[in-house]
Amino acid sequence: MLLIPGCILAAALTVGIMVNRMIKRRIMQHLTIEEATWQYIFINAMQGVPISFCVVVGLYWIVNTIDIIEPLVRIFSYILFTVIILTITRVIARTISGVVDMQIERSQQRMPKTTLLNAILNGIIYAMGILVVLQYYGISIAPILTALGVGGMAVALALQETLANIFSGLHLILSKQLRLGDYIRLSSGEEGRVTDITWRFTTIVPVGDGNMVVIPNQKIASSIITNYSMPRHDIVIKIPVGVAYDSDLQKVEDVTLDVARQVLTALNEKLDDNRQPTVRFYNFGDSSIDFNVLLHSARFDDQFRLKHEFIKALTARFRQEGIEIPFPIRTVIKQNQ
């Protein structure tokens, strides 16, 4: 009794997989469109639809042409409706998620594209699809919603910390305090580049692609955050230097700026009117005239390599130019009594 329907479903599924692969291959070969377009979003949302379509055709064939008992006809009818609704739901969910992501990318004040945001949108859409399926099955939705409302209060009391992390993550996303790729430092000492904001945790990776740090959203929302990527991604790096008192300060400034420009150019840092290196003398020290070199870096975690290369290059150039970087010394004068 089930052999023929099973063979039909297997054949329909096989044909659907082959057609889906063929269409995807053709699209990738002949269609060249940007990812941030409506066409790309729609094509991406329609992936897998040929498989569902072939399964629907197979189920329709079984229900309307093959003589099987009434319970099996009802079961196959339920499966047919479920496949149709879930296919439509999946296409809608993918399309809405793609549109939201595209609008986020185009927005001037970009909201973070995170796992949490997509999970909430998909959860709402799939929940609506499941309710439609249950209604078709003859299952009343009202008692389910009532039970969910009453049970939700108990769940909220039992999962206070989890819910606090979820709403803290939503607050971080909607307030635009954090974006993916931002380099942050918390008041508790953790720092790194934000890689994702999930329903419970925010993950950051320290400089140098170190071990991932997982922090609860609630802790981030209640911490003092220093975001080195806002309002601009570039940062100003201050490097203190000291030269001997008998140095020609104009020559020191010219040599230092020349070395700074060479290092910035070698590291592919952009040099425009607002990002030029500067030198500022600020103190007569015990053994040197002190000044700061101010350099611009496009990314926070590039500062360590920039400092490394600049200090090496400046030391070599000062030695070549005869500019002395003195040791910390003091002159002690003893008075005769």
Side-chain angles (χ1 to χ4, degrees):
M1 187 178 301
L2 295 176
L3 179 60
I4 296 177
C7 293
I8 292 175
L9 284 179
L13 183 61
T14 303
V15 172
I17 294 175
M18 295 174 61
V19 172
N20 185 69
R21 290 181 177 177
M22 182 179 64
I23 293 176
K24 184 178 179 180
R25 190 182 304 113
R26 292 288 183 180
I27 290 174
M28 296 299 293
Q29 290 177 354
H30 300 286
L31 188 61
T32 57
I33 55 177
E34 297 180 358
E35 293 188 5
T37 58
W38 294 93
Q39 295 88 341
Y40 180 86
I41 293 173
F42 180 73
I43 291 173
N44 185 62
M46 293 297 290
Q47 288 185 11
V49 171
I51 299 176
S52 301
F53 177 76
C54 291
V55 172
V56 167
V57 172
L59 289 171
Y60 185 81
W61 185 9
I62 293 172
V63 171
N64 291 276
T65 60
I66 298 179
D67 187 15
I68 56 178
I69 60 177
E70 181 62 27
L72 286 180
V73 172
R74 189 180 302 109
I75 291 174
F76 283 124
S77 298
Y78 286 159
I79 296 175
L80 174 62
F81 184 81
T82 303
V83 171
I84 294 174
I85 294 300
L86 291 183
T87 300
I88 296 173
T89 303
R90 183 179 62 178
V91 172
I92 294 174
R94 288 181 175 180
T95 303
I96 293 178
S97 296
V99 171
V100 171
D101 293 341
M102 183 179 67
Q103 294 301 326
I104 289 174
E105 293 292 337
R106 292 179 178 180
S107 175
Q108 293 181 354
Q109 296 180 344
R110 293 176 56 192
M111 290 174 55
K113 178 183 174 182
T114 63
T115 303
L116 178 61
L117 194 58
N118 288 333
I120 292 175
L121 290 174
N122 291 332
I124 294 174
I125 296 171
Y126 278 105
M128 295 174 63
I130 292 174
L131 290 177
V132 172
V133 172
L134 293 178
Q135 187 71 27
Y136 178 79
Y137 288 172
I139 301 175
S140 180
I141 300 176
I144 297 177
L145 296 178
T146 303
L148 290 176
V150 176
M153 297 178 62
V155 172
L157 293 175
L159 301 176
Q160 293 184 20
E161 183 178 353
T162 301
L163 293 176
N165 285 319
I166 293 176
F167 286 107
S168 296
L170 284 175
H171 170 71
L172 292 173
I173 294 173
L174 298 177
S175 63
K176 305 176 185 178
Q177 294 177 354
L178 298 180
R179 301 171 300 182
L180 298 189
D182 287 355
Y183 196 96
I184 64 171
R185 176 181 294 163
L186 304 182
S187 56
S188 55
E190 295 87 357
E191 66 176 76
R193 191 166 298 281
V194 179
T195 58
D196 196 8
I197 302 176
T198 65
W199 61 278
R200 189 175 181 184
F201 300 108
T202 296
T203 55
I204 63 176
V205 177
V207 175
D209 295 330
N211 296 329
M212 180 181 295
V213 180
V214 181
I215 307 171
N217 294 332
Q218 186 179 10
K219 182 176 180 181
I220 294 183
S222 60
S223 298
I224 299 175
I225 304 174
T226 303
N227 193 332
Y228 293 98
S229 301
M230 295 180 67
R232 297 172 54 184
H233 279 280
D234 65 297
I235 65 169
V236 177
I237 303 170
K238 182 172 66 174
I239 303 176
V241 187
V243 293
Y245 271 90
D246 59 354
S247 301
D248 183 348
L249 297 186
Q250 186 59 50
K251 180 181 179 181
V252 170
E253 181 176 359
D254 295 339
V255 170
T256 303
L257 292 177
D258 183 55
V259 172
R261 294 189 186 97
Q262 292 179 6
V263 172
L264 291 172
T265 302
L267 296 180
N268 297 321
E269 294 287 350
K270 183 179 179 181
L271 290 174
D272 53 28
D273 294 339
N274 297 323
R275 295 167 58 92
Q276 291 293 331
T278 56
V279 171
R280 294 291 182 264
F281 294 94
Y282 70 94
N283 184 43
F284 291 99
D286 294 335
S287 58
S288 62
I289 298 178
D290 302 324
F291 62 94
N292 287 321
V293 183
L294 305 180
L295 306 176
H296 289 266
S297 177
R299 290 166 53 92
F300 180 84
D301 41 0
D302 289 343
Q303 62 172 312
F304 304 101
R305 182 185 176 192
L306 181 56
K307 288 181 180 179
H308 171 78
E309 296 296 335
F310 175 75
I311 290 174
K312 288 197 307 180
L314 185 65
T315 302
R317 183 68 178 275
F318 274 7
R319 289 173 179 171
Q320 180 181 349
E321 299 289 341
I323 300 174
E324 180 184 359
I325 302 177
F327 293 102
I329 58 175
R330 290 186 179 181
T331 302
V332 179
I333 301 176
K334 182 179 181 181
Q335 297 181 351
N336 294 327
Q337 296 182 350

